[in-house]
Amino acid sequence: MGTWTEDVFAETELVSGNLRLRAFDAGDVEDVRLGCSDEETQRWLPLPRPYDAEVARSWCTDLSHHLRTSGEGIQWAITDRETGRLLGATGLNRTDWRGLVSEVGYWVAPWARRRGVAVGATRAVAGWLLGERGFERLELQAATGNHASQAVAERAGFVREGVLRNAGHVHEGRVDTVLYSLIPSDGVVLPKVEARTITD
C-alpha cells in the first residue's frame, strides 16, 4: 500500500452499511437535477444556475466520468443499497498522487437529509482511501457558515485544523472555509467497505 504508479482511480463501487456508491449514469439525471436545484445545495456549492436537465445529463454521462479519467479524483452517486434511489453525491477532488492526499466533498438530496447519509458516505470513502488505497491524508473543507457540513466532518471523525481565509466561493462571493483532515494515525475506526473495481 502507498506505492502506486498510476495516477487515475479505477472505476470502483463501494458498499458500506445501507449505502452503495457507484458511478453516475443517465438514469440519475432527474434526481441530480432535483438535488442540485435545491436551495440549500445551491447556497453552499457554486453549481450552475439554473441546474436544468441538460446540465444534469452532462454531469451524469460525461463530466463526472472525466474527472476520474483526468486523474482529478473519482465521483460517486450515493444510493440506497436496497432501493437504488439516489440520495446524493460524494467524490474525491484535487488528488495529489505523489503526496497521497485527496479532498472529499458531498451533497445530500433534500429527500435523504437527516439520515446520516453524508457521514456514512464520507466514512466509507475515507476507509477505502486511507485503507485499501494507502493514502496518507484526506482533507475536507466547509464554509465557515455551513454548520451542517462541519457537523458531518466532525461526526465522521475528521480533525479540525483551522480556518482558510477567502479559500472558497459560493454564488454570493468568496468565503472562509474550515479545513478538516483525517490521517491513518488518528486511530479513527472506519467501516469495513466492500470495494469492487468495474472493468470494461
Side-chain angles (χ1 to χ4, degrees):
M1 293 191 307
T3 303
W4 301 90
T5 56
E6 76 271 20
D7 59 0
V8 173
F9 291 115
E11 185 176 324
T12 305
E13 287 190 357
L14 305 179
V15 175
S16 179
N18 64 343
L19 301 179
R20 175 181 172 224
L21 279 57
R22 57 157 176 81
F24 286 92
D25 61 39
D28 298 316
V29 169
E30 180 59 12
D31 278 345
V32 167
R33 184 192 70 79
L34 290 171
C36 290
S37 297
D38 173 70
E39 182 179 349
E40 190 68 11
T41 304
Q42 285 274 337
R43 179 182 180 190
W44 297 115
L45 294 178
L47 299 169
R49 281 182 175 172
Y51 202 100
D52 59 24
E54 190 53 42
V55 174
R57 183 172 302 281
S58 176
W59 171 260
C60 292
T61 62
D62 181 35
L63 183 55
S64 65
H65 302 277
H66 174 72
L67 289 172
R68 181 184 67 79
T69 59
S70 71
E72 169 77 9
I74 184 171
Q75 300 296 315
W76 289 283
I78 307 171
T79 66
D80 185 287
R81 186 176 183 178
E82 298 300 322
T83 68
R85 178 76 192 270
L86 185 102
L87 305 176
T90 189
L92 295 171
N93 304 287
R94 303 179 186 176
T95 303
D96 177 351
W97 290 93
R98 289 179 61 85
L100 297 175
V101 178
S102 195
E103 178 181 333
V104 66
Y106 44 77
W107 59 261
V108 176
W111 56 87
R113 289 180 185 147
R114 292 174 288 281
R115 290 168 42 189
V117 171
V119 173
T122 300
R123 286 174 55 80
V125 170
W128 175 73
L129 188 76
L130 300 179
E132 180 174 325
R133 293 310 310 256
F135 269 56
E136 296 294 340
R137 177 178 168 92
L138 178 59
E139 297 181 347
L140 188 160
Q141 290 189 49
T144 52
N146 190 346
H147 302 295
S149 189
Q150 292 174 55
V152 167
E154 290 162 9
R155 288 174 56 203
F158 282 66
V159 175
R160 180 182 171 124
E161 294 190 346
V163 173
L164 303 179
R165 297 180 304 154
N166 214 33
H169 66 282
V170 296
H171 286 293
E172 281 64 41
R174 303 297 303 189
V175 292
D176 296 347
T177 64
V178 182
L179 175 65
Y180 293 87
S181 70
L182 190 62
I183 63 175
S185 62
D186 285 334
V188 174
V189 178
L190 294 168
K192 182 171 176 56
V193 179
E194 300 173 34
R196 181 169 72 96
T197 300
I198 309 300
T199 56
D200 295 331

